[in-house]
Amino acid sequence: MVKPSVFVTRRWPAAVEARLAEDYDVVLNTGDKPLAAPELRDALKTYDAVLPTVTDKLGAEALDVPQARARILANYGVGYSHIDEGCARDLGLTVTNTPDVLSECTADIAMTLMLMAARRASEGERELRNGQWSGWRPTHLIGTKVSGKTLGIIGFGRIGQEMAKRAHHGFGMKILVQNRSAVDPKVLAQFNATQVDSVDVLLPQCDFVSLHCPGGPANRHLINGRRLDLMKQDAFLINTARGEVVDEHALAQALWFDVIAGAGLDVYDGEPRINPDLAGCDNLVMLPHLGSATREAREAMGFRVLDNLDDFFAGRTPRDRVI
Ligand code: DGY
């Protein structure tokens, strides 16, 4: 039987690439460089499946392929706001993602950022590495206590719930939730959480706000200057969702002028480019999109793509079909 041909846009963990090669006729982007629209169009014309990820901008330009051979975009990653839904539908493409398997690790990184920002960990490390530490003193790098504070979670899907689990059961935090749809009271009860009606209602009540909603046009600049003004002056904003959810210029202003106490970011609008306004903020912790960056999660994401491909080419609806 002829194996379906698949194109993988970035290098994946070796164990997954090996399994993929057993069942499919695989072509890898061995240079592991992000692909431009013409290269993505070529891939869509040439292979039965394209396996993209967050660094592939599959907008109108890349998806302008009326004669596409590919019938599935099996995305490596849970977020798929880099894929234009309307264009993918017009081409009749099936799109899948990789939920569940990265939820714990992404929540771990959100916790990491929350703790680092509150306890000024990056500032401390910079001071130490620069040879500027003059020793312990009662007033040195005073941060903010995390335990027992109020955490607002915007977007209460799998990752938001993992965040609530850590914050409530590990750090005794009070949890407030904002979510598009009503959350099952049994789920809220697991974290003694309360759902509020809107982002505007949530923000003024929280010491920490963590974003776990999808990206894309609907949530672009959900956190803007007006909403940053609604936060407490001693509160912190954490974003492990998507860069476009936060207006970065407004965030830099808020950090610079002490509208809020600090922030932690793992994702950026237009990453890997970093808005220079952000780079100058001392009360900002920045990580390079590490949410799912563990061996366990990255392998599990790859195997989940394989499950989706296997279903698709066996004529079944893939378990993680999103389009
Ligand atoms: C995702 O899966 O959407 C992540 O952002 C990639 O780690």
Side-chain angles (χ1 to χ4, degrees), residues 279-303:
C281 299
D282 267 347
N283 48 352
L284 171 65
V285 177
M286 295 196 283
L287 296 178
H289 204 149
L290 295 180
S292 62
T294 63
R295 181 175 46 75
E296 293 86 345
R298 291 284 166 86
E299 286 188 355
M301 289 161 71
F303 289 124

Side-chain angles (χ1 to χ4, degrees), residues 109-110 112-114 116-117 122 209 211 223 228 236-249 251-252 255 260 262-269 271 273-275 277-279 281 283-291:
I109 278 286
T112 304
L113 284 171
M114 187 163 83
M116 286 179 76
S122 293
V209 174
L211 304 176
I223 301 298
L228 288 161
F236 292 80
L237 178 72
I238 306 303
N239 187 12
T240 55
R242 278 293 179 263
E244 67 261 22
V245 178
V246 175
D247 175 345
E248 293 177 345
H249 176 72
L251 176 62
L255 292 171
I260 63 172
L265 302 179
D266 188 43
V267 287
Y268 307 85
D269 202 8
E271 62 185 53
R273 184 193 59 86
I274 300 296
N275 184 329
D277 296 342
L278 291 176
C281 299
N283 48 352
L284 171 65
V285 177
M286 295 196 283
L287 296 178
H289 204 149
L290 295 180

Side-chain angles (χ1 to χ4, degrees), residues 170-238:
F171 291 81
M173 297 182 87
K174 177 179 168 193
I175 308 295
L176 295 182
V177 167
Q178 188 279 328
N179 192 59
R180 264 182 313 187
S181 52
V183 179
D184 182 341
K186 288 199 206 91
V187 173
L188 291 172
Q190 288 170 30
F191 320 106
N192 199 20
T194 304
Q195 182 166 11
V196 299
D197 288 340
S198 68
V199 173
D200 288 8
V201 170
L202 178 126
L203 293 173
Q205 303 186 55
C206 298
D207 303 302
F208 296 89
V209 174
S210 191
L211 304 176
H212 298 284
C213 53
N219 285 337
R220 180 162 185 81
H221 293 186
L222 178 81
I223 301 298
N224 54 20
R226 183 184 70 76
R227 289 205 163 118
L228 288 161
D229 280 340
L230 291 177
M231 290 177 68
K232 293 184 187 176
Q233 203 182 354
D234 55 0
F236 292 80
L237 178 72
I238 306 303

Side-chain angles (χ1 to χ4, degrees), residues 53-54 75-80 82 98 102 106 240-242 266-267 289-293 298 301:
T53 191
V54 63
N75 187 56
Y76 181 95
V78 65
Y80 55 95
H82 52 285
T98 61
L102 46 65
T106 305
T240 55
R242 278 293 179 263
D266 188 43
V267 287
H289 204 149
L290 295 180
S292 62
R298 291 284 166 86
M301 289 161 71

Side-chain angles (χ1 to χ4, degrees), residues 17 50 60 72 88 125 153-154 186 191 239 247 250-251 264 270 306 312 320:
E17 287 186 353
V50 174
I72 178 169
E125 191 184 18
I153 297 182
I154 295 180
K186 288 199 206 91
F191 320 106
N239 187 12
D247 175 345
L251 176 62
L306 263 161
F312 183 81
D320 302 317

Side-chain angles (χ1 to χ4, degrees), residues 21 253 257 321:
Q253 297 279 309
F257 294 107
R321 181 176 183 168

Side-chain angles (χ1 to χ4, degrees), residues 29 56 69 94 99 102 129 134 171 197 201 226 258 274 318:
N29 170 10
D56 300 305
R69 169 171 172 172
T94 292
L102 46 65
R129 287 184 184 273
S134 58
F171 291 81
D197 288 340
V201 170
R226 183 184 70 76
D258 296 327
I274 300 296

